[in-house]
Amino acid sequence: MKGLAGRAARALAGALTRALSAASEPRVIAFLVVALGFALALLLRLAPMRWGVYLNEFDPFYEYYLAEKVLEKGGGDPLRGMAWWFSWWFNRGEKDTLFWAPKGRDLRATSQPGAAFFSATTYAILRALGLDVDLYTVHAFIPAVGAATASIFVYFLAREMWDSSAGVLASLLITCSWPFIYRTNLGAKHEGIAIPLVLLSMTLLIQSAKRGSLLRGLGAGLAMGLAVLSWGGFLYPWNLISLAVLAWLLLNPGDVKLARAYLAFVVVTDLFIAATPRFGPKTAFYSPAAFVPWLAVAASMLSLAHAMPSRRTVARMGRRTVAVVVLACAAGLVAAWWAGLLATLPGRILAVLVPVWRPVGVTTVAEHAVPTWASIYGDYGLLIPLSAFGALICGYRARRRFEDLLALLLWASSAYAASSMARLTLLLAPAVALLASAGFSELVERLLALRGTGRRYRRGRVVSGELLGLTLVILSLLLLPPLLNYRAVLATHQPPLILASSVPVVDYNYQYMDWISALEWIRANVPRGSVIATWWDYGYWISVNTLRNTTCDNATLDSKQIRKIARAFLSSEEEALRIFRELNVSYVVVFEPFLRAQVPYLGGYAYYSPAYGGIGGDLAKSYQMARWIGEDPEKYVTFGQIDSYPVLVPADTPEARNATLYHLLFVKTGRRRFFVFEPLPLTGRPLANYKGPSLTIPQPKYFKLVYASQPNEWVLVFKVEYPQAGGRP
């Protein structure tokens, strides 16, 4: 027995030793770290489930509606639903009047179906497996799960670009990246699907170029094609990869493998672009966005034909020739601008390329604002200088390695885009993770090499192991703030936007349910087929959640109709009725998250709209409404103060007193009887602690308040009371 027990103990010890030995293998460690990173990324994104499963922001509601349409048109079969989508090329013109009433919206011609396809397909598969799930929940989970896979795909990309250690660090950095988590959590929109696909596409393209695998090149195009279906921003990675290939082939015209890989990639990608109704052959082949890809195609074909000028020939051209080419390209872009050829590019794309060009359709959206460098540094911290060092290293090696050239262009272009538009800090996240990991790996490698070669520094002293160890510890500590960033956790502990009525809050106990309350009331009480006028910010919420028609929505497709709504809100009630009659409007919805201050001698509260803090309703948005119609915003809204606290108030002008929007926003309810800018009832004087314009806004004449949301009366629903025939207006 003792001998048997001894053999069993030795066998167990041997098995344990072998298991520990296998676990110490670099590949196993990398697998475990990346797997844990994926799990952590997913858990962080699912944290908002503490308040229930809700879609977040605005666009996901529309994408959910598209998923419903795909299943409806396919009779529950997502494949048939996809066939219906692409049959637009043979059966155009179908309009959905739920959006942009009364004209309606061609869903297939103005939307990307990727997010809807993923949700509908996943839903159908889960139902076929016998799981009792609903489409809404599936659609909420898809972006979160997709975004978590970025931790895996960025590992493979960094491993292909450099090595496995850089891949592990890049995976950890993107797992904890606050800007990336913030926009890709539970219920988010399509970026959570598209960005991992872009990372996969780059990885497969590099593998194809290294190994000469045509199949991987086609796979890279397929991954990018799926990103095309999901994300209008595909123009960026499509052009980025093309620019990297073009630059590389000019420097290395004999790289036939990369030329072949790129052609396989671009053929598949262009087919997806051309087949998508929203883009079509024009975007794929003869739009300004296709200019760089076409140049890369030409360079690839010349390389395959061995007709590209050699590196020596390029070197002989000299700086003067290069300068002439650059100036010619710049002159061509200016000429294209004046000729209107660039007008086909979306306004947001032009605003990124030319940051000083900011049309009103771009500036109306807060996330399109130009961020400060301080805010970008606040997002990424010490990873910014570390990634800049990585970019510098890649710059030195860019002439010798295509991977370094691609990484350098990715970092430089995404940094430029992020500095042009606040929402694009999301694009910078993968680039920072990749280049920071490359920079850190390079520093560690150089330090270890310094110790291994026994190099000496001043006065002939050998670099000690203690000094190197201390340096490595300090470098590692520099990574702790980005990895342990509290903002990443904070971003996942905010309730969905619709649940908090657009108020940024962490300590939430369902005290801001006003939009949920209003949407439930509209769905139950407003007749089907009714047209609701509202500012475009709330269009998707109302249309999708209540199935009632709205005049405009977050797509901002029809600038003329947006101007009509802005004109109606900022004009007299008579003019508003004329516009609303033209659009067949029955109800009007306005939103203002009022706060209140107690006034002891008044025996109640004075209500006000805060000027800052991210709490903004239609009063703040009336500034942009005025810009939409070419009016001076200062005629409508201005600033006041309550005990040195800035508040937004109507301007003391005829335009503000006459504006229909202000009649609706400042209507008296059972709860709100007094606003801070109003004169006191008996004395006619302003509040003692208030400084600013003092005026009285008339109550609405042709708009009847039929519902004030609960619990705060922030969302107001009015029924339009058109005069009888012969009456005014």
Side-chain angles (χ1 to χ4, degrees):
M1 291 295 292
K2 290 182 179 180
L4 182 61
R7 286 195 297 274
R10 287 193 295 272
L12 181 61
L16 183 59
T17 302
R18 288 191 296 273
L20 291 175
S21 176
S24 64
E25 289 290 327
R27 289 185 179 182
V28 176
I29 294 174
F31 171 80
L32 292 175
V33 172
V34 173
L36 289 173
F38 168 78
L40 176 61
L42 184 58
L43 288 174
L44 285 172
R45 285 170 171 83
L46 298 183
M49 285 180 61
R50 60 186 294 192
W51 294 289
V53 177
Y54 289 90
L55 298 181
N56 201 8
E57 298 185 28
F58 301 97
D59 290 359
F61 286 90
Y62 178 67
E63 293 168 350
Y64 162 68
Y65 180 80
L66 294 180
E68 286 187 316
K69 277 292 178 183
V70 167
L71 290 175
E72 175 191 324
K73 294 293 184 177
D77 183 354
L79 293 178
R80 292 176 58 192
M82 294 180 198
W84 163 76
W85 191 283
F86 291 104
S87 70
W88 178 88
W89 292 104
F90 312 102
N91 182 23
R92 307 183 186 186
E94 182 180 346
K95 295 286 186 74
D96 190 329
T97 56
L98 193 64
F99 309 95
W100 296 92
K103 292 183 293 185
R105 174 178 182 175
D106 188 335
L107 301 179
R108 295 176 291 176
T110 60
S111 316
Q112 281 136 267
F117 286 172
F118 277 108
S119 297
T121 303
T122 304
Y123 168 78
I125 292 173
L126 294 177
R127 296 288 291 187
L129 294 174
L131 297 177
D132 185 16
V133 295
D134 61 271
L135 181 61
Y136 186 96
T137 301
V138 170
H139 189 75
F141 272 81
I142 288 292
V145 176
T149 62
S151 301
I152 300 174
F153 291 132
V154 81
Y155 163 76
F156 286 112
L157 179 56
R159 191 182 70 174
E160 287 298 326
M161 286 181 164
W162 303 293
D163 54 36
S164 182
S165 60
V168 170
L169 181 56
S171 177
L172 287 176
L173 291 177
I174 204 168
T175 293
C176 303
S177 173
W178 174 77
F180 190 56
I181 292 173
Y182 183 72
R183 297 190 62 88
T184 58
N185 54 12
L186 181 72
K189 56 183 180 179
H190 43 259
E191 287 99 344
I193 301 170
I195 289 180
L197 287 170
V198 171
L199 296 174
L200 175 61
S201 178
M202 290 181 177
T203 304
L204 291 173
L205 180 68
I206 293 173
Q207 290 178 346
S208 176
K210 283 181 176 180
R211 304 168 190 176
S213 170
L214 185 63
L215 186 60
R216 292 179 187 267
L218 295 174
L222 176 61
M224 187 62 69
L226 294 176
V228 168
L229 294 181
S230 305
W231 185 38
F234 79 89
L235 294 172
Y236 167 66
W238 180 41
N239 278 268
L240 170 68
I241 291 174
S242 301
L243 179 62
V245 170
L246 175 63
W248 179 258
L249 292 180
L250 289 175
L251 296 172
N252 301 273
D255 194 342
V256 176
K257 288 183 178 179
L258 179 63
R260 187 181 296 113
Y262 176 74
L263 289 176
F265 159 82
V266 80
V267 165
V268 178
T269 301
D270 284 4
L271 286 176
F272 271 90
I273 299 171
T276 304
R278 183 179 180 182
F279 306 119
K282 181 178 180 180
T283 301
F285 304 121
Y286 49 94
S287 71
F291 180 69
V292 175
W294 270 120
L295 290 179
V297 166
S300 299
M301 296 183 71
L302 289 173
S303 293
L304 290 175
H306 303 287
M308 280 284 286
S310 66
R311 181 185 295 183
R312 184 174 300 176
T313 303
V314 174
R316 288 175 182 171
M317 294 172 64
R319 296 181 178 180
R320 183 176 299 179
T321 305
V322 173
V324 169
V325 172
V326 171
L327 289 175
C329 292
L333 287 174
V334 172
W337 174 274
W338 284 106
L341 297 178
L342 298 182
T344 56
L345 291 174
R348 288 174 292 185
I349 301 295
L350 290 175
V352 172
L353 296 176
V354 189
V356 296
W357 186 82
R358 295 274 158 173
V360 65
V362 172
T363 57
T364 10
V365 183
E367 61 184 14
H368 291 169
V370 179
T372 62
W373 279 106
S375 67
I376 295 177
Y377 187 82
D379 288 343
Y380 293 100
L382 293 172
L383 294 182
I384 290 292
L386 191 57
S387 65
F389 175 73
L392 182 64
I393 296 298
C394 289
Y396 281 120
R397 302 188 302 218
R399 291 177 62 89
R400 302 189 302 273
R401 297 181 74 249
F402 171 72
E403 299 91 326
D404 287 308
L405 176 62
L406 177 60
L408 175 64
L409 290 176
L410 173 65
W411 184 85
S413 59
S414 61
Y416 180 83
S419 63
S420 300
M421 190 173 288
R423 66 176 295 184
L424 296 182
T425 53
L426 171 75
L427 284 181
L428 188 56
V432 165
L434 287 166
L435 273 298
S437 65
F440 184 83
S441 298
E442 185 70 21
L443 284 172
V444 172
E445 184 179 335
R446 294 292 178 91
L447 288 171
L448 294 176
L450 184 64
R451 175 60 182 167
T453 56
R455 294 182 182 177
R456 300 173 180 268
Y457 63 107
R458 61 180 185 174
R459 298 183 181 178
R461 295 180 181 177
V462 177
V463 179
S464 67
E466 291 80 3
L467 179 59
L468 283 178
L470 179 61
T471 305
L472 289 172
V473 169
I474 293 174
L475 285 175
S476 300
L477 289 175
L478 292 178
L479 291 177
L480 287 182
L483 289 174
L484 303 177
N485 190 351
Y486 77 96
R487 300 177 73 183
V489 179
L490 187 66
T492 64
H493 284 71
Q494 291 182 333
L497 206 61
I498 194 170
L499 197 61
S501 294
S502 301
V503 175
V505 61
V506 177
D507 185 14
Y508 185 70
N509 192 26
Y510 303 97
Q511 67 270 39
Y512 304 132
M513 295 279 289
D514 286 73
W515 265 108
I516 298 292
S517 161
L519 294 172
E520 289 177 351
W521 187 90
I522 292 172
R523 189 180 182 100
N525 295 278
V526 172
R528 294 292 295 266
S530 299
V531 176
I532 299 174
T534 184
W535 191 233
W536 60 263
D537 292 53
Y538 325 118
Y540 284 159
W541 279 1
I542 296 173
S543 294
V544 176
N545 288 286
T546 71
L547 299 180
R548 303 303 186 265
N549 305 339
T550 56
T551 53
C552 50
D553 57 46
N554 307 70
T556 61
L557 292 174
D558 189 343
S559 58
K560 291 182 179 179
Q561 187 141 315
I562 292 176
R563 289 190 184 94
K564 283 183 180 180
I565 299 301
R567 177 73 64 186
F569 278 148
L570 296 185
S571 300
S572 66
E573 291 193 36
E574 287 75 17
E575 176 66 9
L577 285 185
R578 184 191 66 78
I579 295 172
F580 289 155
R581 191 188 296 274
E582 177 186 339
L583 299 176
N584 198 28
V585 170
S586 305
Y587 291 84
V588 178
V589 173
V590 296
F591 168 66
E592 186 63 36
F594 288 107
L595 300 183
R596 65 183 186 177
Q598 191 167 14
V599 185
Y601 54 85
L602 190 64
Y605 296 93
Y607 287 82
Y608 63 92
S609 300
Y612 303 110
I615 304 175
D618 287 337
L619 180 60
K621 290 166 186 173
S622 64
Y623 185 95
Q624 298 295 348
M625 294 180 196
R627 293 192 63 219
W628 270 101
I629 60 177
E631 295 286 349
D632 182 5
E634 294 183 1
K635 292 181 179 179
Y636 295 93
V637 65
T638 187
F639 291 95
Q641 285 187 344
I642 304 176
D643 294 329
S644 74
Y645 179 77
V647 296
L648 282 178
V649 294
D652 189 8
T653 62
E655 290 83 0
R657 283 188 289 269
N658 196 42
T660 298
L661 176 64
Y662 296 169
H663 294 186
L664 304 180
L665 289 180
F666 300 110
V667 68
K668 300 297 175 66
T669 68
R671 180 181 304 173
R672 285 200 301 267
R673 306 301 302 169
F674 186 77
F675 298 96
V676 293
F677 56 82
E678 291 183 307
L680 291 168
L682 297 178
T683 64
R685 296 179 180 179
L687 287 172
N689 58 342
Y690 168 74
K691 294 180 181 179
S694 182
L695 68 155
T696 300
I697 298 294
Q699 297 297 285
K701 295 183 294 184
Y702 300 109
F703 300 86
K704 179 183 178 182
L705 179 63
V706 292
Y707 183 70
S709 63
Q710 298 301 315
N712 303 296
E713 297 187 344
W714 287 351
V715 183
L716 304 176
V717 183
F718 293 88
K719 181 172 176 56
V720 185
E721 296 187 325
Y722 293 100
Q724 298 295 327
R728 295 183 62 200

